[in-house]
Amino acid sequence: MNAEKNIKLWSTLGMRATFGLIALELAKKNPELIITTSDVSTSAGLDRFKKQHPDQYIDVGIAEQNLIGVSAGLSSEGFKVISTTFSPFQTLRCCEQIKVNLGYMKHKVCMVGLASGLVLGNLGFTHCSIEDIGSLRSIPNITIIVPSDPYELFKVLSEAINYRESVYIRLTAGSNSKIINKKDYDFKIGKAVEILPGKDVAIIGCGNILSNCLDAAKILKQKNIDCSVINMHTIKPIDNEKIKNISKDYSLALTVEEHNIIGGLGSSVSEIFSDQGSNCKLIRIGAEDFYSTGGSYDYLKNIYGLSTEKIVEKILSNFKQNEK
Amino acid sequence: MKIVKLKNFAKQVRKNIIYTAYKAGAKSAHIGGALSIADLVAVLYSDIIKIKKSNKIDENRDRFILSKGHACLALYSALVEKKLLKKKDLETFESDGSKLLGHPIINKIDGIEFSTGSLGMGLSLGVGVALAAKKKKKNYKVFVIIGDGECNEGSIWETILSASHFKLDNMTIIVDRNNYQQTGKNSDIMDLKNLKSKFASFGCDTFEINGHDLKKIYSVLSKKNTKKKPKVIVANTIKGKGFKLFENNNNWHHSVITKSIYKEILREI
Amino acid sequence: MKNKEKYIDIFVKSLAIDKKKFSEKLKYNDIPEWDSINHMTLMSGLEEGFNITMESDDIIDFSSFKKGIQILKKYKIN
């Protein structure tokens, strides 16, 4: 499928509809692929998959603990399994099943967490996810990837399905997600992608929120601050080399994530910064460990300092021109 | 099916259980719950489950999952009788780096299908494995033993719903109904009342038997499963069965067999 | 397009909009009902209605009612 041709329209399809399309493509090449889900066929864009590959589609109903158990059982018998439901239920509801069946016993399952982060803000925090990375990060043998846009999701899934261990794929943003990757590029699990070079400040982001990072960098360019924007799609195993270099080459770095600033991208980068004894200042932007009142996606991004303006403000108030 | 063969197998399983527990010494072991399934495991492994020692994992073996993982002494003991494990492996039970711990560790070559013991999880793996058989058009069977205390877990009922919804007639689930759990009687802690009717109402083909009557166990296990329905056998058992000291004495849920106790109970076999 | 009536009918039903809101100039994302998830429901509805299976590329290209007419021609629906 020649996806590069219409990246623009592709991205406007949004992560979930894209996931449905990719699943169909993967099913053609992988007869042993099985999609397991907890009653979310439509909202995962899987209607067509269900109709065209009924015997490769298993719905266990709204029972996420059984979802992981059944997926692991199928995987132990040689099937390639992608499980999917909304991210809080795909990760926290069945966390111990993920630990025992996937982390401890190393059965391989790709888990796709729909609508993670803040996009479902108008449903309240029962349906938002700012804790999923933090909780899974502490379980060995689980890779965690946050695709930046639908086009990257295509690359992530194609690689994850044959990757050596279980992968949690965290989908962010809604129907009209922003385009991050304008043209084709090399994607490799664990390898960060510098989508915008810049020598003054390093903005490290993951997920579709990277579009605000790019917008912020554009604004700061006019204020003579040259920002680099790095797509750190793989939280675990994270790109150690890239972070070590940032800790040496920059005086100010930011992490930007639709997640608690505890336990996610920010914590991962801080851990490496502290190993390095770096004197680069790191600011973690994200949910500051509290549940806000609900509302629109933009409303919540603003509250958690994730809007373009707030990112610009944070850099302006912390970047010292004289150190250039 | 020769009843003598079953009796000997069951006797040997019980001997291996107390031998292993005794060798574990101060590290202690789950004894009561292993002895309550000794006869069930004996019949399964002597005449029902198709499995044998080999250096390659046999794709067509029947899969046995001990979802109530803490009763693993019974599993290990049966695997020794089937030559998948050696007697001296039992002596390493719970020692540093051992492959035989207080709960089973996944080791398919030796006949241990999954790392179970976090209650309520093995049965769900069983549904996945049974579904895989249907999809691959294989006719191996899946046997799962769950505990009655384990039925406190919601995940058990999620899984039973799916087993019957997916019409998994290649699955046989045995409930070890010994009426006790970790700290006391089921009825005191969380009364399960009538389990057979619960499983029946969830769409399973259900039976209730004396879990120590070898003939009854054999006949219900060898009977062909009803089409499109998982089979559930509620086996009424006695925790600690086989040794007066242990029977219905929940102190032996998890405890130490000292040299003197070992000598005393050996006489009862 | 002789199947136009049926084509419009599937559009209206899949996107769950009333006829008044429908127009032949409708484009993807013009109205909230035609978002990415309902796009998939529309594609599924067209496939069932006309007994065809569309390629992923065509589903991505299917950006308006008019464009849809060209795409359906590829599957011999006109």
Side-chain angles (χ1 to χ4, degrees), chain C:
Chain C
M1 183 190 183
K2 84 174 155 18
N3 284 305
K4 183 169 259 183
E5 239 348 89
K6 187 172 176 188
Y7 179 38
I8 292 170
D9 183 51
I10 293 175
F11 241 87
V12 169
K13 250 203 233 86
S14 306
L15 299 182
I17 48 175
D18 56 58
K19 274 247 168 161
K20 289 195 292 320
K21 199 160 188 183
F22 173 81
S23 100
E24 298 209 358
K25 289 197 237 38
L26 207 56
K27 285 205 208 61
Y28 174 66
N29 269 337
D30 269 0
I31 52 172
E33 290 88 349
W34 195 352
D35 67 3
S36 69
I37 292 298
N38 285 341
H39 184 69
M40 285 303 166
T41 314
L42 172 62
M43 294 303 115
S44 188
L46 288 170
E47 284 181 324
E48 243 167 318
F50 292 117
N51 196 6
I52 54 171
T53 305
M54 287 190 278
E55 284 302 318
S56 295
D57 268 7
D58 292 326
I59 288 181
I60 299 167
D61 280 349
F62 204 113
S63 51
S64 69
F65 178 83
K66 285 208 170 58
K67 187 75 193 287
I69 295 173
Q70 283 162 9
I71 289 176
L72 287 175
K73 278 206 184 77
K74 274 173 70 175
Y75 296 90
K76 299 192 185 52
I77 309 291
N78 28 42

Side-chain angles (χ1 to χ4, degrees), chain A residues 287-307:
Chain A
E288 278 149 15
D289 204 26
F290 70 93
Y291 289 118
S292 152
T293 49
S296 70
Y297 194 19
D298 287 337
Y299 169 78
L300 285 177
K301 278 190 252 185
N302 188 45
I303 286 181
Y304 286 127
L306 290 163
S307 64

Side-chain angles (χ1 to χ4, degrees), chain A residues 11 36-37 39-40 42 55 63 67 99 146 168 181 188 204 221 228 233 242 264 287 295 297 299 307 313 321:
Chain A
S11 281
T36 58
T37 176
D39 191 13
V40 290
T42 317
D55 53 358
L67 177 69
K99 170 206 164 172
V146 191
Y168 170 54
N181 307 291
K188 197 167 174 328
I204 308 166
K221 189 82 176 149
S228 143
H233 47 70
K242 184 67 186 170
Y297 194 19
Y299 169 78
S307 64
E313 237 170 78
Q321 279 295 5

